[in-house]
Amino acid sequence: MSAALLSVERVSKRFGGLVANDAISLDVAEGSLTAVIGPNGAGKTTFFNIISGALPPTAGRIQLAGQDITGLSLQQVAQRGLVRTFQLVQLFGNMTVRENVEVGLHMVTRGTLGAALLRPRWMAAQERWVRDEADTLLGFVGLGAFAQTQADQLPYGRQRLLEVARALAAKPRLLLLDEPAAGLDTQESAALADIIQQVNARGTTVLLIEHDMSLVMRIATHVAVLDFGRKIAEGSPAEMRAHPDVLAAYLGGVEEAHA
Amino acid sequence: MLGVGLLGFVMLNGGYLVTVLGLAAIYGVFCTGLNLFMGYTGQASFGQSAFAAVGGYGTAILCAGHGWDPVAGLVVSMAIAGLLALVVGYPVMRLRGHYLAMATFALGLIVYELSVEWSGLTQGYMGYAGIPPLGFAGHELGTERAQLGALVAIMLFGVWLAERMKSSRFGRALRAIAGSEPAAMALGIPVSRYKLAAFVVAAVYASAAGSLFAHFIGFISPEVFGVPMVVLSFTMLYLGGIGTIWGPVMGAVIASLLPELFRGLKEMQDIAYSVVLILMLIFVPGGLAGLLRRLARKPT
């Protein structure tokens, strides 16, 4: 296994008396497709929010490519190459599908107010590149035909795909996907799994949180399981499927949910 | 087309409509700036009148008090307003939603009080009179029509600049903030810095509008830059279509002309005006610009 791109060391998060994350450690290998799974309330989203800078941890340390990113803001973490999506789709609904991806290109382009007003020659070239790049990414996720559609007019499943395309535009070293298949039907979920696998195959390290076990088992190269705020197991998908603690946590959780 | 026709008609006929359209052009500048902050960036400011006051008083003091050239007075006032927005905005832009609205509202009130109380500088309640008309390098624009022409040209220039800002990486970042702040942050956009930039740009536009008002009317007082100015500019934004390039200007023209249309109704004028405003907000929610866009999109 190659070196860890993301290294999380004993991260904890307390909300008052509630321990949402209890000393969780996780290494995400460069080039891997790592999944964090666990029943509802296991602390997955909190863990994700801490890694991505949306929440500061109570204790612990996070390193990205050897750089300490603990306590940095969402935007600072993004600037260091870790880009995330959201469990509740956060599109720019007021903009077209293409413009959404163009915003994703913010970090890999330049020029602010001065360039907007003065329009130096390089900016026209950059704008052309931005448009082409956005269209390429839209083509990749199969949204090429919707470039001009206003983002909030897209059907839900396609909104999910757009969020992935937009995050990819930022050329992340590590792509964090927060329950990307939530609310998708089987077919949409399979299409998304395909895309995630292709993204990974092209060299982007992916860390995803997912509730949908079948998706994770099919595409993940490495799986960590959380339950009640702790990491209870870690290994290959096959190992996790057979792990007694995982089965107990998952099946127990399901049974409780049905009770 | 309609705008050109209207302008041509008024230019030929003259009269008080020249004044009405001149004020509409000034408000067009003010609203175009405010639209960048409220429409595109999706933030609320109830205190833009403060920056118009900086422009108005800056021009009055520099041009009427110290005999400066109008263009120099305009530019220096804009710089001061921009600087003020930068200093005030730096802490204030960390606030969101209602808190941002309250803080900016307070700014408007503070500047209003200052313009009343600091009478050594502003001549207080009585207002500042004797401000020369627009002009450059010693040549005054003698007639009201010439001034209207200049105001419309400046307004169009302002709209042109706004369009440049909008259709760029800068503008996309602003609109992204309006769409979803967390998503904008997650894509590495420095959200507070962009909000501050939009706030400063809006303040510079507001200051220019204040200066132009001072030149056009020749007199300013604290009342000119009070809360009614904020309310009127909001009306214009929503009437014309917030978050569109031409909406603010269309709103400014319509909201300025409507009361004139109903002048014959005498005491019913205000009521008719209000009824039309409410009907438009209900039935044309995207504003006039939104309506025109829908009509243009519809086949045949």
Side-chain angles (χ1 to χ4, degrees), chain B residues 6 15 23 47 64 98 134 200 205-206 214 258 262 267 281 296:
Chain B
L6 181 67
L23 288 174
H98 301 331
L134 268 181
V200 169
Y205 271 81
L258 269 185
F262 299 131
E267 62 270 24
L281 289 176

Side-chain angles (χ1 to χ4, degrees), chain A residues 90 106 109 111-112 117 119, chain B residues 164 167 169 172 180 188 194:
Chain A
Q90 294 278 342
H106 188 87
T109 46
T112 55
L117 291 174
R119 298 282 165 108
Chain B
R164 290 201 135 202
S167 55
R169 177 175 179 265
R172 282 194 296 270
S180 163
Y194 272 88

Side-chain angles (χ1 to χ4, degrees), chain A residues 3-65:
Chain A
L5 176 60
L6 180 78
S7 166
V8 182
E9 284 168 52
R10 300 187 57 79
V11 157
S12 296
K13 181 71 187 177
R14 284 182 200 90
F15 296 107
L18 176 82
V19 183
N21 281 182
D22 188 3
I24 301 176
S25 295
L26 177 72
D27 277 357
V28 176
E30 179 103 56
S32 71
L33 204 169
T34 302
V36 175
I37 61 170
N40 271 330
K44 302 186 298 282
T45 295
T46 302
F47 185 59
F48 233 48
N49 283 337
I50 290 172
I51 295 173
S52 63
L55 275 179
T58 314
R61 204 158 78 109
I62 306 153
Q63 285 184 301
L64 181 71

Side-chain angles (χ1 to χ4, degrees), chain A residues 74-75 78-79 83 86 90 92 94-95 99 102-103 106-107 109-113 116-119 123 127 130 166, chain B residues 161 163-165 167-170 172-173 175-176 178-180 182-191 194 201:
Chain A
L74 197 54
Q75 122 207 348
Q79 283 159 357
V83 177
F86 294 85
Q90 294 278 342
F92 308 126
N94 52 336
M95 303 171 83
E99 284 170 334
E102 288 176 345
V103 172
H106 188 87
M107 284 195 292
T109 46
R110 64 197 176 107
T112 55
L113 186 54
L117 291 174
L118 300 173
R119 298 282 165 108
M123 190 156 141
E127 282 296 299
V130 160
R166 191 181 64 185
Chain B
L161 288 179
E163 154 65 23
R164 290 201 135 202
M165 286 185 251
S167 55
S168 68
R169 177 175 179 265
F170 177 77
R172 282 194 296 270
R175 292 164 65 211
S180 163
M185 284 182 200
L187 294 167
I189 294 171
V191 168
Y194 272 88
V201 171

